[in-house]
Amino acid sequence: MGPPAMAFQALTLTPLPFSLHSSSRRVRVLAVAADQTPPPAPPSEPANSPSRLLRELAQRKKAVSPKKKHPPRRFILKPPLDDERLTRRFLSSPQLSLKALPLLSSCLPSAPLSTADRTWMDEYLLEAKQALGYPLAPSETLGEGDDCPARHFDVLFYLAFQHLDPSSERTRMRHVRNGHSRLWFLGQYVLELAFCEFFLQRYPRESPGPMRERVFALIGKKVLPRWLKAASLHNLVFPYDDLDKMIRKDREPPSKAVFWAIFGAIYLCFGMPEVYRVLFEAFGMDPDDESCQPKLRRQLEDVDYVSVEFEKRQLTWQDVAAYRPPPDALFAHPRLFRACVPPGMHRFRGNIWDFDSRPKVMTTLGYPLPMNDRIPEITEARNIELGLGLQLCFLHPSKHKFEHPRFCYERLEYVGQKIQDLVMAERLLMKHLDAPGRWLAEKHRRTLMNKYCGRYLRDKHLQHYIIY
């Protein structure tokens, strides 16, 4: 058994000369170790040898390491303020100075204005106030006491023009940057609701589709620089640039932010009637302009069910801004309610819900509210109208595809969306005092997403009352 074993051992240890013959040259096949580290090269190794390339690659991997990316300074956590500094900061913040006006107080700057802020106000604020038709006297002289909203107009109006400019250290200060972004966050929903109420009363037979086109044509981001220039405010937004020569991505975002913030400040200090005056008088918007007309579409007009007050003439912005409900009105906004639910809808009341559904839905939503009416018949009439409006809200368009209930449902949905957006924006502003506008906008969007609104409806078990 000895010689055969020796022969087998010699056979296994002897390297086999294995080579590939080609027409040009001989290629030698080498074994590579498991760690992919090639053996040391002999002195006569050619320059294009595979083993040499592998060895150089391994050395390069060892020598070159990826650079560590440090986080930006604004993401580095800072040590928390001690109790004394935190108390001093909150007590000196203007946001906590007004207890009677919580919404306006939440939009004031989080710190007192600096000398640079006061300098800008002394140089440019009079020009801005004159362009929009406001008195040149300081707003602190208006009204009596700090509880008057108009007394804080100068500060909010100053913040409205302070869009983020990388070259300006003043606009990059935290109290200015956050104050401006919170104003434009509120102002966008103020504008949407203002135009929604105006067009619903001006065009009582129009569906929301054409109204949205009219709103986009008036306050779309492409036309906002034109309105600022029409009111001679473009020099305050772009003091060192020619508005007509700027490219869109540099012109539209600052114009949109400033325009929205202006109306956020006006709404907080003077209310919705002043918003209409500035829109149609100071900026000169014309809803009858040819560029604001919606595209033509086939639509069946609802001639039979229009309130009498809309039949006489087409309402103007003065009519909407100066409207005061009569003392015996059933609702806080009776004309807007009639623009969405005309009196002729009573004939559909018995065809939507059964007798027991209406009180269940009203009780779940917390209605009817307690009212102190002198005449009991007024309370009963209000509850009947409220029940009819709730029935139309739960009426899916598949039930009446071409009849008037679908028309009312769409208009109620349109105005309800705008009211919902503004109410949630005001709530977020009062809840998160230190939050910037972009964070609030994302929080607003995530709270009112369609899937969450459906979940809110199901949590109250109201989905069973939808009529399909």
Side-chain angles (χ1 to χ4, degrees), residues 343-375:
M345 287 305 301
H346 284 280
R347 73 183 184 90
F348 288 94
R349 184 175 58 185
N351 302 329
I352 299 177
W353 274 341
D354 55 21
F355 184 75
D356 297 331
S357 298
R358 188 179 67 177
K360 291 180 181 179
V361 174
M362 295 179 67
T363 304
T364 304
L365 297 177
Y367 292 106
L369 299 177
M371 303 292 292
N372 297 324
D373 296 318
R374 294 182 294 102
I375 305 176

PDB file of all heavy atoms in Angstrom, residues 343-375:
ATOM      1  N   PRO A 343     -84.725  78.621  -0.767  1.00  0.00           N
ATOM      2  CA  PRO A 343     -85.980  78.200  -0.125  1.00  0.00           C
ATOM      3  C   PRO A 343     -86.687  77.072  -0.856  1.00  0.00           C
ATOM      4  O   PRO A 343     -87.410  76.293  -0.242  1.00  0.00           O
ATOM      5  CB  PRO A 343     -86.825  79.476  -0.127  1.00  0.00           C
ATOM      6  CG  PRO A 343     -85.851  80.588  -0.285  1.00  0.00           C
ATOM      7  CD  PRO A 343     -84.724  80.052  -1.101  1.00  0.00           C
ATOM      8  N   GLY A 344     -86.534  76.952  -2.161  1.00  0.00           N
ATOM      9  CA  GLY A 344     -87.236  75.923  -2.914  1.00  0.00           C
ATOM     10  C   GLY A 344     -86.809  74.508  -2.609  1.00  0.00           C
ATOM     11  O   GLY A 344     -87.405  73.559  -3.110  1.00  0.00           O
ATOM     12  N   MET A 345     -85.759  74.332  -1.760  1.00  0.00           N
ATOM     13  CA  MET A 345     -85.281  72.989  -1.455  1.00  0.00           C
ATOM     14  C   MET A 345     -86.171  72.259  -0.462  1.00  0.00           C
ATOM     15  O   MET A 345     -85.942  71.096  -0.159  1.00  0.00           O
ATOM     16  CB  MET A 345     -83.859  73.071  -0.894  1.00  0.00           C
ATOM     17  CG  MET A 345     -82.810  73.416  -1.940  1.00  0.00           C
ATOM     18  SD  MET A 345     -82.857  72.275  -3.312  1.00  0.00           S
ATOM     19  CE  MET A 345     -82.543  70.750  -2.479  1.00  0.00           C
ATOM     20  N   HIS A 346     -87.194  72.904   0.065  1.00  0.00           N
ATOM     21  CA  HIS A 346     -88.037  72.249   1.060  1.00  0.00           C
ATOM     22  C   HIS A 346     -88.787  71.057   0.478  1.00  0.00           C
ATOM     23  O   HIS A 346     -89.177  70.156   1.221  1.00  0.00           O
ATOM     24  CB  HIS A 346     -89.027  73.253   1.653  1.00  0.00           C
ATOM     25  CG  HIS A 346     -88.403  74.181   2.647  1.00  0.00           C
ATOM     26  ND1 HIS A 346     -88.161  73.807   3.941  1.00  0.00           N
ATOM     27  CD2 HIS A 346     -87.949  75.457   2.524  1.00  0.00           C
ATOM     28  CE1 HIS A 346     -87.599  74.817   4.600  1.00  0.00           C
ATOM     29  NE2 HIS A 346     -87.457  75.825   3.753  1.00  0.00           N
ATOM     30  N   ARG A 347     -88.991  71.043  -0.812  1.00  0.00           N
ATOM     31  CA  ARG A 347     -89.749  69.924  -1.370  1.00  0.00           C
ATOM     32  C   ARG A 347     -88.930  68.637  -1.397  1.00  0.00           C
ATOM     33  O   ARG A 347     -89.484  67.552  -1.584  1.00  0.00           O
ATOM     34  CB  ARG A 347     -90.226  70.258  -2.785  1.00  0.00           C
ATOM     35  CG  ARG A 347     -89.138  70.255  -3.845  1.00  0.00           C
ATOM     36  CD  ARG A 347     -89.712  70.670  -5.192  1.00  0.00           C
ATOM     37  NE  ARG A 347     -88.745  70.593  -6.256  1.00  0.00           N
ATOM     38  CZ  ARG A 347     -88.540  69.511  -6.994  1.00  0.00           C
ATOM     39  NH1 ARG A 347     -89.199  68.409  -6.743  1.00  0.00           N
ATOM     40  NH2 ARG A 347     -87.663  69.541  -7.975  1.00  0.00           N
ATOM     41  N   PHE A 348     -87.588  68.725  -1.209  1.00  0.00           N
ATOM     42  CA  PHE A 348     -86.765  67.523  -1.163  1.00  0.00           C
ATOM     43  C   PHE A 348     -86.581  67.011   0.261  1.00  0.00           C
ATOM     44  O   PHE A 348     -85.925  66.009   0.465  1.00  0.00           O
ATOM     45  CB  PHE A 348     -85.376  67.800  -1.743  1.00  0.00           C
ATOM     46  CG  PHE A 348     -85.370  67.978  -3.226  1.00  0.00           C
ATOM     47  CD1 PHE A 348     -85.452  69.238  -3.796  1.00  0.00           C
ATOM     48  CD2 PHE A 348     -85.289  66.882  -4.059  1.00  0.00           C
ATOM     49  CE1 PHE A 348     -85.448  69.407  -5.160  1.00  0.00           C
ATOM     50  CE2 PHE A 348     -85.282  67.036  -5.430  1.00  0.00           C
ATOM     51  CZ  PHE A 348     -85.369  68.295  -5.983  1.00  0.00           C
ATOM     52  N   ARG A 349     -87.143  67.697   1.245  1.00  0.00           N
ATOM     53  CA  ARG A 349     -86.840  67.364   2.632  1.00  0.00           C
ATOM     54  C   ARG A 349     -87.325  65.960   2.995  1.00  0.00           C
ATOM     55  O   ARG A 349     -86.650  65.227   3.710  1.00  0.00           O
ATOM     56  CB  ARG A 349     -87.475  68.397   3.550  1.00  0.00           C
ATOM     57  CG  ARG A 349     -87.133  68.200   5.013  1.00  0.00           C
ATOM     58  CD  ARG A 349     -87.703  69.330   5.834  1.00  0.00           C
ATOM     59  NE  ARG A 349     -89.152  69.420   5.654  1.00  0.00           N
ATOM     60  CZ  ARG A 349     -89.882  70.391   6.183  1.00  0.00           C
ATOM     61  NH1 ARG A 349     -89.301  71.353   6.874  1.00  0.00           N
ATOM     62  NH2 ARG A 349     -91.184  70.426   5.990  1.00  0.00           N
ATOM     63  N   GLY A 350     -88.474  65.574   2.505  1.00  0.00           N
ATOM     64  CA  GLY A 350     -89.009  64.272   2.891  1.00  0.00           C
ATOM     65  C   GLY A 350     -88.458  63.118   2.090  1.00  0.00           C
ATOM     66  O   GLY A 350     -88.803  61.974   2.366  1.00  0.00           O
ATOM     67  N   ASN A 351     -87.622  63.371   1.074  1.00  0.00           N
ATOM     68  CA  ASN A 351     -87.137  62.313   0.205  1.00  0.00           C
ATOM     69  C   ASN A 351     -85.701  61.904   0.510  1.00  0.00           C
ATOM     70  O   ASN A 351     -85.130  61.105  -0.226  1.00  0.00           O
ATOM     71  CB  ASN A 351     -87.216  62.754  -1.258  1.00  0.00           C
ATOM     72  CG  ASN A 351     -88.627  63.129  -1.657  1.00  0.00           C
ATOM     73  OD1 ASN A 351     -89.585  62.572  -1.129  1.00  0.00           O
ATOM     74  ND2 ASN A 351     -88.760  64.072  -2.568  1.00  0.00           N
ATOM     75  N   ILE A 352     -85.105  62.474   1.561  1.00  0.00           N
ATOM     76  CA  ILE A 352     -83.695  62.226   1.791  1.00  0.00           C
ATOM     77  C   ILE A 352     -83.495  61.337   3.016  1.00  0.00           C
ATOM     78  O   ILE A 352     -82.939  60.255   2.930  1.00  0.00           O
ATOM     79  CB  ILE A 352     -82.949  63.564   1.963  1.00  0.00           C
ATOM     80  CG1 ILE A 352     -83.101  64.395   0.686  1.00  0.00           C
ATOM     81  CG2 ILE A 352     -81.481  63.330   2.237  1.00  0.00           C
ATOM     82  CD1 ILE A 352     -82.467  65.770   0.780  1.00  0.00           C
ATOM     83  N   TRP A 353     -83.970  61.766   4.176  1.00  0.00           N
ATOM     84  CA  TRP A 353     -83.830  61.010   5.413  1.00  0.00           C
ATOM     85  C   TRP A 353     -85.193  60.542   5.900  1.00  0.00           C
ATOM     86  O   TRP A 353     -86.224  61.137   5.581  1.00  0.00           O
ATOM     87  CB  TRP A 353     -83.190  61.869   6.504  1.00  0.00           C
ATOM     88  CG  TRP A 353     -81.708  61.869   6.480  1.00  0.00           C
ATOM     89  CD1 TRP A 353     -80.881  60.974   5.881  1.00  0.00           C
ATOM     90  CD2 TRP A 353     -80.848  62.827   7.105  1.00  0.00           C
ATOM     91  NE1 TRP A 353     -79.583  61.305   6.083  1.00  0.00           N
ATOM     92  CE2 TRP A 353     -79.525  62.435   6.835  1.00  0.00           C
ATOM     93  CE3 TRP A 353     -81.080  63.965   7.869  1.00  0.00           C
ATOM     94  CZ2 TRP A 353     -78.440  63.145   7.302  1.00  0.00           C
ATOM     95  CZ3 TRP A 353     -79.992  64.666   8.332  1.00  0.00           C
ATOM     96  CH2 TRP A 353     -78.679  64.266   8.050  1.00  0.00           C
ATOM     97  N   ASP A 354     -85.139  59.520   6.714  1.00  0.00           N
ATOM     98  CA  ASP A 354     -86.371  59.138   7.381  1.00  0.00           C
ATOM     99  C   ASP A 354     -86.616  60.060   8.578  1.00  0.00           C
ATOM    100  O   ASP A 354     -85.835  60.957   8.868  1.00  0.00           O
ATOM    101  CB  ASP A 354     -86.324  57.662   7.819  1.00  0.00           C
ATOM    102  CG  ASP A 354     -85.116  57.368   8.695  1.00  0.00           C
ATOM    103  OD1 ASP A 354     -84.564  58.315   9.286  1.00  0.00           O
ATOM    104  OD2 ASP A 354     -84.722  56.196   8.774  1.00  0.00           O
ATOM    105  N   PHE A 355     -87.681  59.812   9.283  1.00  0.00           N
ATOM    106  CA  PHE A 355     -88.110  60.757  10.325  1.00  0.00           C
ATOM    107  C   PHE A 355     -87.138  60.785  11.514  1.00  0.00           C
ATOM    108  O   PHE A 355     -86.988  61.806  12.168  1.00  0.00           O
ATOM    109  CB  PHE A 355     -89.512  60.378  10.810  1.00  0.00           C
ATOM    110  CG  PHE A 355     -90.083  61.335  11.812  1.00  0.00           C
ATOM    111  CD1 PHE A 355     -90.554  62.579  11.409  1.00  0.00           C
ATOM    112  CD2 PHE A 355     -90.117  61.019  13.160  1.00  0.00           C
ATOM    113  CE1 PHE A 355     -91.071  63.469  12.336  1.00  0.00           C
ATOM    114  CE2 PHE A 355     -90.644  61.897  14.091  1.00  0.00           C
ATOM    115  CZ  PHE A 355     -91.115  63.132  13.681  1.00  0.00           C
ATOM    116  N   ASP A 356     -86.475  59.648  11.810  1.00  0.00           N
ATOM    117  CA  ASP A 356     -85.636  59.556  13.001  1.00  0.00           C
ATOM    118  C   ASP A 356     -84.179  59.921  12.752  1.00  0.00           C
ATOM    119  O   ASP A 356     -83.416  60.070  13.707  1.00  0.00           O
ATOM    120  CB  ASP A 356     -85.688  58.127  13.568  1.00  0.00           C
ATOM    121  CG  ASP A 356     -87.091  57.750  14.023  1.00  0.00           C
ATOM    122  OD1 ASP A 356     -87.828  58.676  14.416  1.00  0.00           O
ATOM    123  OD2 ASP A 356     -87.429  56.557  13.977  1.00  0.00           O
ATOM    124  N   SER A 357     -83.755  60.043  11.510  1.00  0.00           N
ATOM    125  CA  SER A 357     -82.336  60.248  11.244  1.00  0.00           C
ATOM    126  C   SER A 357     -81.883  61.669  11.559  1.00  0.00           C
ATOM    127  O   SER A 357     -80.793  61.879  12.091  1.00  0.00           O
ATOM    128  CB  SER A 357     -82.026  59.928   9.773  1.00  0.00           C
ATOM    129  OG  SER A 357     -82.300  58.574   9.498  1.00  0.00           O
ATOM    130  N   ARG A 358     -82.707  62.664  11.241  1.00  0.00           N
ATOM    131  CA  ARG A 358     -82.279  64.049  11.411  1.00  0.00           C
ATOM    132  C   ARG A 358     -81.963  64.391  12.860  1.00  0.00           C
ATOM    133  O   ARG A 358     -80.901  64.941  13.144  1.00  0.00           O
ATOM    134  CB  ARG A 358     -83.330  65.002  10.847  1.00  0.00           C
ATOM    135  CG  ARG A 358     -82.861  66.438  10.826  1.00  0.00           C
ATOM    136  CD  ARG A 358     -83.913  67.345  10.233  1.00  0.00           C
ATOM    137  NE  ARG A 358     -85.091  67.433  11.093  1.00  0.00           N
ATOM    138  CZ  ARG A 358     -86.136  68.201  10.829  1.00  0.00           C
ATOM    139  NH1 ARG A 358     -86.164  68.905   9.716  1.00  0.00           N
ATOM    140  NH2 ARG A 358     -87.169  68.231  11.647  1.00  0.00           N
ATOM    141  N   PRO A 359     -82.827  64.077  13.848  1.00  0.00           N
ATOM    142  CA  PRO A 359     -82.448  64.411  15.222  1.00  0.00           C
ATOM    143  C   PRO A 359     -81.218  63.665  15.712  1.00  0.00           C
ATOM    144  O   PRO A 359     -80.444  64.204  16.511  1.00  0.00           O
ATOM    145  CB  PRO A 359     -83.700  64.037  16.029  1.00  0.00           C
ATOM    146  CG  PRO A 359     -84.485  63.147  15.161  1.00  0.00           C
ATOM    147  CD  PRO A 359     -84.189  63.550  13.759  1.00  0.00           C
ATOM    148  N   LYS A 360     -80.982  62.434  15.233  1.00  0.00           N
ATOM    149  CA  LYS A 360     -79.791  61.703  15.652  1.00  0.00           C
ATOM    150  C   LYS A 360     -78.528  62.399  15.158  1.00  0.00           C
ATOM    151  O   LYS A 360     -77.553  62.546  15.895  1.00  0.00           O
ATOM    152  CB  LYS A 360     -79.851  60.269  15.107  1.00  0.00           C
ATOM    153  CG  LYS A 360     -80.927  59.415  15.762  1.00  0.00           C
ATOM    154  CD  LYS A 360     -80.918  58.014  15.168  1.00  0.00           C
ATOM    155  CE  LYS A 360     -82.010  57.152  15.806  1.00  0.00           C
ATOM    156  NZ  LYS A 360     -82.037  55.784  15.218  1.00  0.00           N
ATOM    157  N   VAL A 361     -78.505  62.831  13.896  1.00  0.00           N
ATOM    158  CA  VAL A 361     -77.333  63.508  13.353  1.00  0.00           C
ATOM    159  C   VAL A 361     -77.112  64.846  14.043  1.00  0.00           C
ATOM    160  O   VAL A 361     -75.986  65.210  14.399  1.00  0.00           O
ATOM    161  CB  VAL A 361     -77.495  63.691  11.827  1.00  0.00           C
ATOM    162  CG1 VAL A 361     -76.348  64.523  11.267  1.00  0.00           C
ATOM    163  CG2 VAL A 361     -77.546  62.335  11.138  1.00  0.00           C
ATOM    164  N   MET A 362     -78.180  65.594  14.271  1.00  0.00           N
ATOM    165  CA  MET A 362     -78.042  66.892  14.914  1.00  0.00           C
ATOM    166  C   MET A 362     -77.538  66.748  16.345  1.00  0.00           C
ATOM    167  O   MET A 362     -76.721  67.541  16.825  1.00  0.00           O
ATOM    168  CB  MET A 362     -79.381  67.634  14.884  1.00  0.00           C
ATOM    169  CG  MET A 362     -79.851  67.984  13.478  1.00  0.00           C
ATOM    170  SD  MET A 362     -81.446  68.829  13.439  1.00  0.00           S
ATOM    171  CE  MET A 362     -81.041  70.389  14.214  1.00  0.00           C
ATOM    172  N   THR A 363     -77.985  65.727  17.051  1.00  0.00           N
ATOM    173  CA  THR A 363     -77.510  65.504  18.415  1.00  0.00           C
ATOM    174  C   THR A 363     -76.040  65.099  18.423  1.00  0.00           C
ATOM    175  O   THR A 363     -75.264  65.538  19.279  1.00  0.00           O
ATOM    176  CB  THR A 363     -78.365  64.424  19.095  1.00  0.00           C
ATOM    177  OG1 THR A 363     -79.739  64.812  19.045  1.00  0.00           O
ATOM    178  CG2 THR A 363     -77.937  64.238  20.536  1.00  0.00           C
ATOM    179  N   THR A 364     -75.618  64.270  17.477  1.00  0.00           N
ATOM    180  CA  THR A 364     -74.218  63.849  17.400  1.00  0.00           C
ATOM    181  C   THR A 364     -73.300  65.032  17.134  1.00  0.00           C
ATOM    182  O   THR A 364     -72.200  65.110  17.698  1.00  0.00           O
ATOM    183  CB  THR A 364     -74.050  62.788  16.302  1.00  0.00           C
ATOM    184  OG1 THR A 364     -74.939  61.702  16.552  1.00  0.00           O
ATOM    185  CG2 THR A 364     -72.627  62.276  16.271  1.00  0.00           C
ATOM    186  N   LEU A 365     -73.704  65.954  16.287  1.00  0.00           N
ATOM    187  CA  LEU A 365     -72.892  67.122  15.954  1.00  0.00           C
ATOM    188  C   LEU A 365     -73.040  68.251  16.962  1.00  0.00           C
ATOM    189  O   LEU A 365     -72.398  69.294  16.800  1.00  0.00           O
ATOM    190  CB  LEU A 365     -73.266  67.633  14.557  1.00  0.00           C
ATOM    191  CG  LEU A 365     -72.995  66.656  13.407  1.00  0.00           C
ATOM    192  CD1 LEU A 365     -73.472  67.248  12.096  1.00  0.00           C
ATOM    193  CD2 LEU A 365     -71.514  66.312  13.326  1.00  0.00           C
ATOM    194  N   GLY A 366     -73.866  68.074  17.984  1.00  0.00           N
ATOM    195  CA  GLY A 366     -74.018  69.114  18.995  1.00  0.00           C
ATOM    196  C   GLY A 366     -75.012  70.188  18.648  1.00  0.00           C
ATOM    197  O   GLY A 366     -74.899  71.326  19.127  1.00  0.00           O
ATOM    198  N   TYR A 367     -75.984  69.869  17.804  1.00  0.00           N
ATOM    199  CA  TYR A 367     -77.020  70.830  17.426  1.00  0.00           C
ATOM    200  C   TYR A 367     -78.372  70.350  17.922  1.00  0.00           C
ATOM    201  O   TYR A 367     -78.570  69.147  18.138  1.00  0.00           O
ATOM    202  CB  TYR A 367     -77.047  71.008  15.916  1.00  0.00           C
ATOM    203  CG  TYR A 367     -75.843  71.692  15.367  1.00  0.00           C
ATOM    204  CD1 TYR A 367     -74.869  70.972  14.674  1.00  0.00           C
ATOM    205  CD2 TYR A 367     -75.653  73.057  15.520  1.00  0.00           C
ATOM    206  CE1 TYR A 367     -73.753  71.580  14.164  1.00  0.00           C
ATOM    207  CE2 TYR A 367     -74.533  73.682  15.011  1.00  0.00           C
ATOM    208  CZ  TYR A 367     -73.592  72.940  14.333  1.00  0.00           C
ATOM    209  OH  TYR A 367     -72.475  73.552  13.825  1.00  0.00           O
ATOM    210  N   PRO A 368     -79.317  71.272  18.034  1.00  0.00           N
ATOM    211  CA  PRO A 368     -79.197  72.724  17.826  1.00  0.00           C
ATOM    212  C   PRO A 368     -78.563  73.423  19.030  1.00  0.00           C
ATOM    213  O   PRO A 368     -78.674  72.959  20.159  1.00  0.00           O
ATOM    214  CB  PRO A 368     -80.661  73.174  17.659  1.00  0.00           C
ATOM    215  CG  PRO A 368     -81.430  72.173  18.446  1.00  0.00           C
ATOM    216  CD  PRO A 368     -80.695  70.869  18.310  1.00  0.00           C
ATOM    217  N   LEU A 369     -77.865  74.508  18.763  1.00  0.00           N
ATOM    218  CA  LEU A 369     -77.251  75.280  19.827  1.00  0.00           C
ATOM    219  C   LEU A 369     -78.318  75.999  20.643  1.00  0.00           C
ATOM    220  O   LEU A 369     -79.361  76.391  20.111  1.00  0.00           O
ATOM    221  CB  LEU A 369     -76.279  76.295  19.237  1.00  0.00           C
ATOM    222  CG  LEU A 369     -75.101  75.715  18.438  1.00  0.00           C
ATOM    223  CD1 LEU A 369     -74.275  76.847  17.846  1.00  0.00           C
ATOM    224  CD2 LEU A 369     -74.235  74.828  19.309  1.00  0.00           C
ATOM    225  N   PRO A 370     -78.076  76.191  21.920  1.00  0.00           N
ATOM    226  CA  PRO A 370     -79.068  76.924  22.731  1.00  0.00           C
ATOM    227  C   PRO A 370     -79.137  78.390  22.317  1.00  0.00           C
ATOM    228  O   PRO A 370     -78.140  79.101  22.295  1.00  0.00           O
ATOM    229  CB  PRO A 370     -78.537  76.760  24.164  1.00  0.00           C
ATOM    230  CG  PRO A 370     -77.086  76.449  24.013  1.00  0.00           C
ATOM    231  CD  PRO A 370     -76.943  75.708  22.723  1.00  0.00           C
ATOM    232  N   MET A 371     -80.323  78.838  21.956  1.00  0.00           N
ATOM    233  CA  MET A 371     -80.534  80.214  21.509  1.00  0.00           C
ATOM    234  C   MET A 371     -81.654  80.839  22.333  1.00  0.00           C
ATOM    235  O   MET A 371     -82.645  80.177  22.671  1.00  0.00           O
ATOM    236  CB  MET A 371     -80.911  80.245  20.015  1.00  0.00           C
ATOM    237  CG  MET A 371     -79.880  79.588  19.106  1.00  0.00           C
ATOM    238  SD  MET A 371     -78.323  80.492  19.005  1.00  0.00           S
ATOM    239  CE  MET A 371     -78.850  81.948  18.135  1.00  0.00           C
ATOM    240  N   ASN A 372     -81.478  82.108  22.645  1.00  0.00           N
ATOM    241  CA  ASN A 372     -82.479  82.859  23.400  1.00  0.00           C
ATOM    242  C   ASN A 372     -83.302  83.711  22.445  1.00  0.00           C
ATOM    243  O   ASN A 372     -83.019  84.897  22.230  1.00  0.00           O
ATOM    244  CB  ASN A 372     -81.801  83.732  24.463  1.00  0.00           C
ATOM    245  CG  ASN A 372     -81.058  82.906  25.489  1.00  0.00           C
ATOM    246  OD1 ASN A 372     -81.504  81.822  25.859  1.00  0.00           O
ATOM    247  ND2 ASN A 372     -79.929  83.416  25.958  1.00  0.00           N
ATOM    248  N   ASP A 373     -84.273  83.106  21.804  1.00  0.00           N
ATOM    249  CA  ASP A 373     -85.144  83.807  20.871  1.00  0.00           C
ATOM    250  C   ASP A 373     -86.394  84.300  21.601  1.00  0.00           C
ATOM    251  O   ASP A 373     -86.965  83.594  22.440  1.00  0.00           O
ATOM    252  CB  ASP A 373     -85.553  82.887  19.720  1.00  0.00           C
ATOM    253  CG  ASP A 373     -84.355  82.480  18.878  1.00  0.00           C
ATOM    254  OD1 ASP A 373     -83.514  83.352  18.595  1.00  0.00           O
ATOM    255  OD2 ASP A 373     -84.268  81.297  18.525  1.00  0.00           O
ATOM    256  N   ARG A 374     -86.815  85.499  21.251  1.00  0.00           N
ATOM    257  CA  ARG A 374     -88.027  86.054  21.855  1.00  0.00           C
ATOM    258  C   ARG A 374     -89.278  85.340  21.368  1.00  0.00           C
ATOM    259  O   ARG A 374     -90.252  85.189  22.093  1.00  0.00           O
ATOM    260  CB  ARG A 374     -88.117  87.556  21.530  1.00  0.00           C
ATOM    261  CG  ARG A 374     -87.029  88.392  22.168  1.00  0.00           C
ATOM    262  CD  ARG A 374     -87.188  89.867  21.849  1.00  0.00           C
ATOM    263  NE  ARG A 374     -86.990  90.163  20.430  1.00  0.00           N
ATOM    264  CZ  ARG A 374     -87.986  90.376  19.583  1.00  0.00           C
ATOM    265  NH1 ARG A 374     -89.240  90.344  20.001  1.00  0.00           N
ATOM    266  NH2 ARG A 374     -87.719  90.649  18.315  1.00  0.00           N
ATOM    267  N   ILE A 375     -89.219  84.857  20.133  1.00  0.00           N
ATOM    268  CA  ILE A 375     -90.385  84.194  19.539  1.00  0.00           C
ATOM    269  C   ILE A 375     -90.033  82.715  19.334  1.00  0.00           C
ATOM    270  O   ILE A 375     -89.045  82.393  18.668  1.00  0.00           O
ATOM    271  CB  ILE A 375     -90.764  84.846  18.196  1.00  0.00           C
ATOM    272  CG1 ILE A 375     -90.982  86.356  18.386  1.00  0.00           C
ATOM    273  CG2 ILE A 375     -91.988  84.188  17.599  1.00  0.00           C
ATOM    274  CD1 ILE A 375     -91.257  87.092  17.103  1.00  0.00           C
TER     275      ILE A 375
END
